Amino acid sequence: MKKISLRMQEWELFFKNKGVSTDLINIYLPYIEYLESQNLPVVFEAEHLSNLLGIKPVILYKMVSSPSSFYRSFDISKKKGGKRRISSPYPSLLICQKWIYENILMGLKTHYCAHGYIKSKSIVSNAKAHLNERVVLKMDLQDFFDTITINWVINLFSKLGYANNVSYILASLCCFNGALPQGAATSPALSNILLVHLDMRIYRLAKKYSLTYTRYADDLTFSGNYIPHTFIEIVNEIIVDFGLNVNKQKTKLIIGNKQKIVTGISVKNSRLQLPRKTRRTLKQELFYIKKYGLISHISKLKIKKPNYLDSLQGKFAFWTYVEPHNEFARHV
């Protein structure tokens, strides 16, 4: 007979005191032991999860069965045209998502080539990996969050060791309309966790071609001395095989001395810089403000943003972040 640990003995005594049958105890103990060995919180069923989340069971069931009641959806304009759908969870659901992130997702592994939504990494670290390379290839995953379906998320929680019903409930709290919603607290972490094997496959391919690979959310970047067109086709096949799609209109192969922009930052030379156009625009705005005054400048350009000055200061702060040695940006 297998000797059980002191921790499991405590659980066994707890169940016996609660009048749980021996058959159920024999099911529960291995379940608990496995989850605790992975440093994951033990969740038995819906009512237990509602207690852990600090909400009433009826509210939890409603979140699962009628998620539209717990989201506010709206569209924002993309920089290069089109709209992006944002589904923002109401506070009650947001609390649940934050619990899932902090207690389950935060401890799970991501690939080191992923730079988006990861502490200590940013668009700057993503761009820095591609400094001063002769060739840069940029690819984009189409409808990124929408193509990561609830079945992927259910499967993840199941593989972690959770019971089927628990996996379904956890996944339902993280998904909306059958996929990851852009705006949920759990979506960024889940996207990185669920794409670990994709990152691994693409990284190994890039290594064979002596290329550097990074991914920032849906932006894939490769750089090196030479990238053949067949490489693009192979990457596309890997992505499709994984269950995602490439937005081929955004695939760009930049060769030689042309400006190379990676996640909004120029990597053409040995130091990161803001793109020329961005630097020029910021310098121009500052010049006109100093020459004509802030009020006159805002009136002349018919700027209606109430937080225009804060936004401008934020842009200069970001410029300093990207180029800490730039004297002009530092002394604004």
Side-chain angles (χ1 to χ4, degrees), residues 114-158:
H115 287 255
Y117 320 121
I118 295 174
K119 288 181 180 178
S120 79
K121 292 187 178 182
S122 64
I123 58 173
V124 171
S125 66
N126 184 69
K128 199 171 185 178
H130 304 283
L131 274 172
N132 210 25
E133 293 285 7
R134 181 178 172 273
V135 183
V136 168
L137 168 64
K138 300 198 294 182
M139 299 179 75
D140 182 87
L141 298 176
Q142 191 166 26
D143 300 325
F144 182 52
F145 286 115
D146 288 342
T147 49
I148 301 177
T149 67
I150 189 171
N151 288 337
W152 292 25
V153 185
I154 293 171
N155 191 45
L156 170 67
F157 287 121
S158 182

Side-chain angles (χ1 to χ4, degrees), residues 22-295:
T22 302
D23 288 342
L24 272 180
I25 292 174
N26 290 335
I27 293 171
Y28 283 153
L29 291 183
Y31 179 70
I32 295 167
E33 190 170 30
Y34 181 79
L35 288 173
E36 290 193 342
S37 72
Q38 305 301 310
N39 293 317
L40 294 170
V42 177
V43 184
F44 295 113
E45 35 74 56
E47 288 192 14
H48 182 215
L49 179 60
S50 70
N51 287 330
L52 294 172
L53 295 172
I55 61 172
K56 294 178 180 178
V58 66
I59 300 297
L60 178 61
Y61 287 122
K62 191 173 181 182
M63 287 177 176
V64 173
S65 62
S66 182
S68 58
S69 303
F70 295 88
Y71 281 97
R72 180 174 69 93
S73 296
F74 54 94
D75 294 325
I76 60 172
S77 298
K78 295 181 181 179
K79 284 185 179 180
K80 296 183 180 179
K83 299 285 185 179
R84 177 178 284 111
R85 189 70 169 172
I86 304 296
S87 296
S88 178
Y90 286 135
S92 56
L93 178 56
L94 182 61
I95 288 170
C96 298
Q97 291 176 350
K98 284 183 175 180
W99 185 92
I100 293 170
Y101 170 71
E102 291 169 1
N103 291 276
I104 300 176
L105 303 179
M106 194 164 67
L108 301 182
K109 289 182 180 180
T110 59
H111 198 276
Y112 62 84
C113 289
H115 287 255
Y117 320 121
I118 295 174
K119 288 181 180 178
S120 79
K121 292 187 178 182
S122 64
I123 58 173
V124 171
S125 66
N126 184 69
K128 199 171 185 178
H130 304 283
L131 274 172
N132 210 25
E133 293 285 7
R134 181 178 172 273
V135 183
V136 168
L137 168 64
K138 300 198 294 182
M139 299 179 75
D140 182 87
L141 298 176
Q142 191 166 26
D143 300 325
F144 182 52
F145 286 115
D146 288 342
T147 49
I148 301 177
T149 67
I150 189 171
N151 288 337
W152 292 25
V153 185
I154 293 171
N155 191 45
L156 170 67
F157 287 121
S158 182
K159 284 184 175 179
L160 290 175
Y162 287 105
N164 291 339
N165 61 325
V166 174
S167 296
Y168 175 76
I169 294 168
L170 289 170
S172 297
L173 293 173
C174 299
C175 293
F176 182 46
N177 291 333
L180 294 186
Q182 187 156 344
T186 44
S187 292
L190 279 168
S191 67
N192 282 331
I193 294 162
L194 290 166
L195 265 61
V196 164
H197 293 293
L198 176 65
D199 286 331
M200 194 178 297
R201 287 180 66 182
I202 295 177
Y203 166 75
R204 287 173 180 169
L205 175 70
K207 195 173 181 181
K208 286 181 181 178
Y209 283 81
S210 300
L211 300 174
T212 298
Y213 162 66
T214 64
R215 181 180 59 80
Y216 191 94
D218 54 355
D219 292 326
L220 281 63
T221 308
F222 306 86
S223 63
N225 191 52
Y226 174 68
I227 301 177
H229 282 280
T230 52
F231 177 82
I232 301 174
E233 295 170 9
I234 297 169
V235 173
N236 184 67
E237 287 174 5
I238 290 173
I239 290 169
V240 171
D241 180 60
F242 195 80
L244 301 174
N245 294 297
V246 174
N247 186 343
K248 293 184 178 180
Q249 292 181 338
K250 291 188 176 181
T251 297
K252 290 184 180 180
L253 184 63
I254 310 164
I255 303 170
N257 204 36
K258 295 178 182 177
Q259 182 169 234
K260 301 177 181 75
I261 307 298
V262 175
T263 46
I265 300 171
S266 174
V267 298
K268 179 182 173 183
N269 301 311
S270 57
R271 278 187 177 180
L272 297 177
Q273 289 183 301
L274 286 191
R276 286 192 303 268
K277 185 179 178 181
T278 305
R279 297 198 307 269
R280 187 165 58 245
T281 300
L282 288 174
K283 285 181 178 180
Q284 191 176 55
E285 288 197 60
L286 187 63
F287 171 78
Y288 286 127
I289 288 172
K290 286 182 176 179
K291 185 175 181 178
Y292 301 110
L294 177 63
I295 303 300

